[in-house]
Amino acid sequence: MNIYTFKQEADFVSTGAGLIASMLHTKPRSVLGLATGSSPIGIYQRLIEMNQQGLVSFAKASSFNLDEYVGLPEGHPESYRTFMNEKLFNHIDIIKENTHIPDGNAADLEAESRKYDAMLEENGSVDLQILGLGHNGHIGFNEPDDSLVGGTHVVQLQEKTRTANARFFPSLDDVPTQAITMGVGSILKARQIMLLVRGEDKAEIVKRALTGPITTQCPASLLQCHPNVVVLLDQGAGRLLS
């Protein structure tokens, strides 16, 4: 595990975007595992700039997002499909049909989960998986529990997670109670993982995830078992690491 802490936001962004661009230069048909949230936004903005400047192309790439809320109407401003379209896909040369996000409105969510896993298998391992980190240690929407599910599945969101995400909704009552998420087993199959964490409020969970015991009560701690993880932190998030 390679851990980098940045004083400047610009360095955090350029490093993250550079790793993704390098992957695409080396393997234009890369399978990218993408994430939502505030941490990757600057990186996506930089990739848009690089794409529009002709420095990197997504034309042959495909993507799989980690998760989606259950029950938000199509086109809802807080759905992760809307997020990805607005923050990245609408502004680069990726083929929209090659961008995949779990369908949180599927009539049969268990069937949708199996379908998503099948698509992942058909496309081969994810080449580079981007992850954020929840305050309770979740990755994707894999919440702390006595055991974790390997494949894509529906999860009941913990109140801590819903409270953290309430800032994006009119009220806590409007935050969905369920999500459909790629499982930890699928995440760990990625050839390379890039964990992005920003903010002093994440410092304690960063230390626990990266240096604490490996436990399903902190799903991100399982990343310690992966052979190729790059961690990008701002100073606040990394302040408790020696």
Side-chain angles (χ1 to χ4, degrees):
M1 184 177 288
N2 296 305
I3 303 172
Y4 302 95
T5 303
F6 300 94
K7 293 182 179 179
Q8 303 296 328
E9 172 74 6
D11 295 330
F12 177 97
V13 166
S14 62
T15 301
L19 284 170
I20 297 168
S22 294
M23 175 66 70
L24 289 165
H25 289 149
T26 303
K27 185 180 179 182
R29 295 188 183 276
S30 289
V31 180
L32 302 175
L34 301 180
T36 55
S38 58
S39 292
I41 287 178
I43 291 171
Y44 292 159
Q45 290 173 341
R46 178 62 185 137
L47 287 170
I48 290 168
E49 294 170 2
M50 295 173 72
N51 179 246
Q52 293 178 350
Q53 293 165 4
L55 300 176
V56 67
S57 174
F58 295 82
K60 297 179 180 180
S62 59
S63 69
F64 286 85
N65 263 72
L66 285 166
D67 43 30
E68 177 61 283
Y69 287 118
V70 168
L72 288 185
E74 184 176 350
H76 189 285
E78 297 307 327
S79 80
Y80 289 162
R81 169 55 76 177
T82 299
F83 178 101
M84 291 306 305
N85 286 344
E86 292 181 351
K87 303 300 183 185
L88 185 63
F89 297 151
N90 287 348
H91 312 287
I92 59 175
D93 62 345
I94 198 166
I95 298 171
K96 279 288 183 69
E97 289 75 15
N98 292 339
T99 66
H100 308 286
I101 298 176
D103 182 2
N105 287 307
D108 186 337
L109 291 172
E110 290 188 7
E112 172 65 15
S113 298
R114 293 193 295 271
K115 176 184 172 184
Y116 206 68
D117 284 340
M119 286 194 297
L120 282 165
E121 289 294 326
E122 289 168 9
N123 280 268
S125 297
V126 169
D127 292 295
L128 177 60
Q129 176 66 62
I130 300 172
L131 296 176
L133 177 64
H135 288 89
N136 61 1
H138 73 233
I139 47 177
F141 269 132
N142 293 282
E143 301 279 39
D145 206 340
D146 292 337
S147 61
L148 296 174
V149 179
T152 303
H153 61 287
V154 177
V155 63
Q156 197 75 21
L157 299 179
Q158 294 187 359
E159 284 308 298
K160 191 170 186 178
T161 298
R162 295 183 66 242
T163 300
N165 290 351
R167 66 189 188 278
F168 302 117
F169 291 84
S171 72
L172 178 60
D173 291 339
D174 295 298
V175 182
T177 58
Q178 291 183 315
I180 182 170
T181 183
M182 193 186 295
V184 172
S186 299
I187 291 170
L188 293 177
K189 288 180 183 178
R191 293 187 173 92
Q192 183 176 27
I193 292 173
M194 181 167 65
L195 178 66
L196 308 172
V197 196
R198 296 164 61 247
E200 283 197 37
D201 57 323
K202 296 285 182 72
E204 290 187 12
I205 195 60
V206 164
K207 183 176 181 180
R208 184 179 167 200
L210 303 185
T211 67
I214 297 171
T215 169
T216 59
Q217 295 297 334
C218 179
S221 68
L222 297 172
L223 297 177
Q224 296 179 46
C225 301
H226 194 280
N228 191 5
V229 178
V230 177
V231 183
L232 306 186
L233 309 170
D234 67 8
Q235 264 198 313
R239 65 183 172 85
L240 298 181
L241 299 179
S242 58

